[in-house]
Amino acid sequence: LKTADKSNEITAIPELLDLLDIAGSIVTIDAMGCQVSIVEKIIDKDADYLIGLKGKQGRLNEDVRLFFENKPRGAVFSVASEYDKGHGRIETRQCTATEDIAWLKERHPRWNKLSSLVEIKSKREIKGEEAKETRYYISSLRAPADKLLNAVRQHWGVENKLHWVLDVSFNDDQCRIRRGNAPRNIAIVKKTALNLLQIIKRNKPRVSLKAMRKLAGWDNGFLDNVLMASF
């Protein structure tokens, strides 16, 4: 959904949620969407939320960080880990989750149906260089760490499967279209083309999207196959 001029995702997210049937779903949003009003709308539509935290949430983020760094005795935690290797990198993620948060709900009572806290520690190795990151989330889910870790992983899958692909295969970051409705129009065209190519790729798993784009420009027969691909 296009954000309004001189606005941002905070105003667009509620409008997008109004358009979607999200009942029974898990809505994941990065820290930009960590707003009480957005959480209220998600709960009102019978869905659950898993939302990232950053310093802009004031004491909420700080309280969660200190809780995980100084785990109190008696608190119960669930832990799950996963390991990934691909695209020249090795990544390990560990999820720690807890539902012992009565203290947090007393301090921050406005967060509707707040049920669990999540800590994700990730370590990435690329060409011998190592980078570590710790992220925190609040959630309405009462779920084990492996389910919460999977939900976080699926959230970042949007970046990997859409934005990263658009940049690599369509040079999206180099696009200089800025005026009027042109940016939105070209974004729709690129994403439509990407979806069509990904349908064709199911039968050509060894051919890259970039190679298929070139082939569509050289071979009208292949181009016809792409344009007739069924969603």
Side-chain angles (χ1 to χ4, degrees), residues 165 168-170 190 192-227 229:
V165 173
V168 172
S169 299
F170 289 78
K190 286 180 179 179
T192 300
L194 174 60
N195 285 327
L196 291 170
L197 289 171
Q198 285 178 331
I199 293 170
I200 299 296
K201 188 172 173 60
R202 294 171 190 168
N203 297 322
K204 297 179 181 291
R206 295 182 178 275
V207 183
S208 70
L209 291 171
K210 184 173 286 188
M212 286 197 290
R213 284 190 65 203
K214 289 183 177 180
L215 184 58
W218 296 335
D219 185 337
N220 287 338
F222 180 74
L223 176 60
D224 288 341
N225 290 335
V226 173
L227 295 176

Side-chain angles (χ1 to χ4, degrees), residues 29-226:
I29 314 176
D30 61 20
M32 171 68 79
C34 192
Q35 304 287 327
V36 171
S37 59
I38 291 175
V39 164
E40 290 285 352
K41 185 173 286 290
I42 292 170
I43 297 301
D44 287 345
K45 299 199 72 172
D46 297 321
D48 283 295
Y49 61 84
L50 178 64
I51 302 180
L53 293 176
K54 279 189 179 178
K56 291 182 179 179
Q57 283 81 38
R59 290 301 308 177
L60 177 61
N61 179 71
E62 186 70 3
D63 288 343
V64 173
R65 181 182 65 81
L66 290 173
F67 174 78
F68 279 106
E69 289 181 353
N70 304 277
K71 296 181 178 65
R73 289 186 177 181
V76 178
F77 295 90
S78 174
V79 181
S81 300
E82 67 177 12
Y83 171 87
D84 260 346
K85 184 176 181 181
H87 300 294
R89 68 173 183 265
I90 301 172
E91 189 165 358
T92 305
R93 286 173 292 275
Q94 178 177 291
C95 174
T96 304
T98 183
E99 296 175 17
D100 285 340
I101 60 168
W103 62 274
L104 186 70
K105 291 196 283 188
E106 288 181 6
R107 299 192 66 173
H108 304 277
R110 297 190 303 155
W111 297 94
N112 192 0
K113 205 181 172 184
L114 178 58
S115 300
S116 61
L117 302 178
V118 182
E119 176 192 65
I120 304 289
K121 288 187 174 181
S122 60
K123 182 173 70 173
R124 180 179 297 180
E125 298 177 48
I126 304 176
K127 297 180 179 179
E129 295 187 6
E130 186 177 282
K132 296 181 179 180
E133 183 181 18
T134 302
R135 302 189 300 273
Y136 301 102
Y137 299 82
I138 58 172
S139 179
S140 62
L141 290 165
R142 294 185 179 275
D146 57 343
K147 183 176 179 179
L148 293 164
L149 179 58
N150 182 63
V152 172
R153 181 65 171 153
Q154 293 298 318
H155 174 87
W156 289 106
V158 175
E159 176 69 30
N160 296 332
K161 295 175 184 176
L162 177 60
H163 302 304
W164 184 84
V165 173
L166 285 172
D167 180 28
V168 172
S169 299
F170 289 78
N171 295 320
D172 204 44
D173 285 356
Q174 304 304 315
C175 182
R176 292 294 176 262
I177 298 174
R178 297 285 186 272
R179 301 180 64 179
N181 293 321
R184 186 183 187 188
N185 292 340
I186 196 65
I188 291 172
V189 170
K190 286 180 179 179
K191 289 171 185 175
T192 300
L194 174 60
N195 285 327
L196 291 170
L197 289 171
Q198 285 178 331
I199 293 170
I200 299 296
K201 188 172 173 60
R202 294 171 190 168
N203 297 322
K204 297 179 181 291
R206 295 182 178 275
V207 183
S208 70
L209 291 171
K210 184 173 286 188
M212 286 197 290
R213 284 190 65 203
K214 289 183 177 180
L215 184 58
W218 296 335
D219 185 337
N220 287 338
F222 180 74
L223 176 60
D224 288 341
N225 290 335
V226 173

Side-chain angles (χ1 to χ4, degrees), residues 1-4 8-23 27-30 33 37-38 41-42 45 47 155 158 162-163 184 191:
L1 185 71
K2 181 183 178 184
T3 58
N8 56 33
E9 290 95 331
I10 294 176
T11 58
I13 290 172
E15 295 179 23
L16 183 59
L17 290 172
D18 284 334
L19 298 174
L20 300 173
D21 178 7
I22 60 173
V27 178
T28 62
I29 314 176
D30 61 20
S37 59
I38 291 175
K41 185 173 286 290
I42 292 170
K45 299 199 72 172
H155 174 87
V158 175
L162 177 60
H163 302 304
R184 186 183 187 188
K191 289 171 185 175

